[in-house]
Amino acid sequence: MAFLNKLKWILGILMIFILIMATNLIDRNNFIRVRDSVVTIYEDRLIANDLIFEMLKSVHQKELALTVSDSTFFSSHNANVNTHLQSLVMRFEQTKLTPEEEVVFEDLKSNLSGLKDAETQYLSSGFSNRTPVIGTIEDLKANLDDLSKIQLNEGSRQMSISKRALDSVQLFTQIEIFMLVFLAIVVQIIVMYNPKPKD
């Protein structure tokens, strides 16, 4: 009879251990999803949005110089702005891009290359034909605006993933509590049950 009691205890404790282990693994998976989502929001969305803002500032510098016909800017300062823009583009390229973002980003790079060519023609024309530069700047601004909207949409999507994972954790925690109470009752019944010996 002592062996049967030991077996009951072992089975009862084993059931609780398996339940706790299973819910722990599910919770761990959900917490990993939350962590990855938060990291993505910071590294691939907030930093990317800051880079977009910096690129837009550089484009606005060019646009302002063009509007006021600042030939000094294009003769001396424009090369530094182009170098800065190129470094921002390289940093943006290192973030994790969505398929939609890749398309817009490739268009942005193409427009940046076109802007350099248009600026070279603008300089060689003696600052007289600025129409191609204005058109390319407008295209660049549209690209940057599209990229900024993508950051917002992707950030929202990542927050939604985090929320679903946290809701999952909360649900499994409640289920775990109910299952532990149920198993505690079952273990008590198993341990307390003492069949009457047959005469």
Side-chain angles (χ1 to χ4, degrees):
M1 194 56 100
F3 175 74
L4 186 59
N5 281 336
K6 285 182 183 177
L7 187 62
K8 289 178 188 178
W9 276 101
I10 290 170
L11 284 175
I13 292 171
L14 193 60
M15 285 188 332
I16 293 172
F17 176 77
I18 289 170
L19 174 73
I20 291 172
M21 185 66 114
T23 55
N24 190 335
L25 290 173
I26 292 168
D27 288 348
R28 181 174 167 227
N29 184 38
N30 285 323
F31 279 117
I32 288 170
R33 283 176 34 207
V34 170
R35 184 199 63 206
D36 290 347
S37 183
V38 169
V39 167
T40 297
I41 288 171
Y42 176 73
E43 289 180 354
D44 299 325
R45 302 300 145 214
L46 290 177
I47 289 177
N49 215 29
D50 182 57
L51 293 171
I52 291 167
F53 179 72
E54 289 296 321
M55 284 186 246
L56 193 58
K57 279 178 23 182
S58 295
V59 170
H60 278 307
Q61 276 184 311
K62 290 173 175 284
E63 187 176 35
L64 181 64
L66 198 62
T67 303
V68 297
S69 300
D70 185 358
S71 57
T72 310
F73 173 86
F74 285 101
S75 303
S76 58
H77 191 62
N78 191 43
N80 292 338
V81 174
N82 284 341
T83 304
H84 180 63
L85 261 172
Q86 194 57 44
S87 73
L88 292 171
V89 166
M90 287 170 60
R91 285 175 54 201
F92 190 88
E93 208 163 18
Q94 293 169 358
T95 63
K96 186 178 177 184
L97 303 175
T98 65
E100 180 188 4
E101 205 172 8
E102 282 181 27
V103 171
V104 176
F105 185 61
E106 287 303 316
D107 194 37
L108 173 94
K109 291 196 298 189
S110 171
N111 285 330
L112 270 175
S113 176
L115 180 63
K116 286 181 186 175
D117 294 341
E119 287 173 343
T120 304
Q121 290 174 0
Y122 179 60
L123 281 170
S124 62
S125 73
F127 306 104
S128 62
N129 186 15
R130 63 184 186 175
T131 307
V133 181
I134 292 171
T136 312
I137 284 177
E138 289 305 316
D139 291 343
L140 277 171
K141 284 166 51 180
N143 291 145
L144 292 169
D145 186 49
D146 290 345
L147 285 174
S148 183
K149 285 176 185 167
I150 291 170
Q151 304 317 306
L152 189 62
N153 292 338
E154 275 300 302
S156 175
R157 191 177 73 79
Q158 292 298 328
M159 285 299 293
S160 171
I161 289 170
S162 291
K163 186 178 180 328
R164 279 196 312 269
L166 288 173
D167 288 346
S168 223
V169 167
Q170 187 176 9
L171 174 69
F172 280 110
T173 300
Q174 289 174 346
I175 291 171
E176 182 178 348
I177 290 168
F178 289 128
M179 289 298 290
L180 283 173
V181 169
F182 173 74
L183 284 177
I185 293 169
V186 169
V187 168
Q188 285 294 323
I189 291 170
I190 290 173
V191 170
M192 295 297 206
Y193 177 71
N194 196 3
K196 292 183 181 177
K198 292 182 180 177
D199 292 331

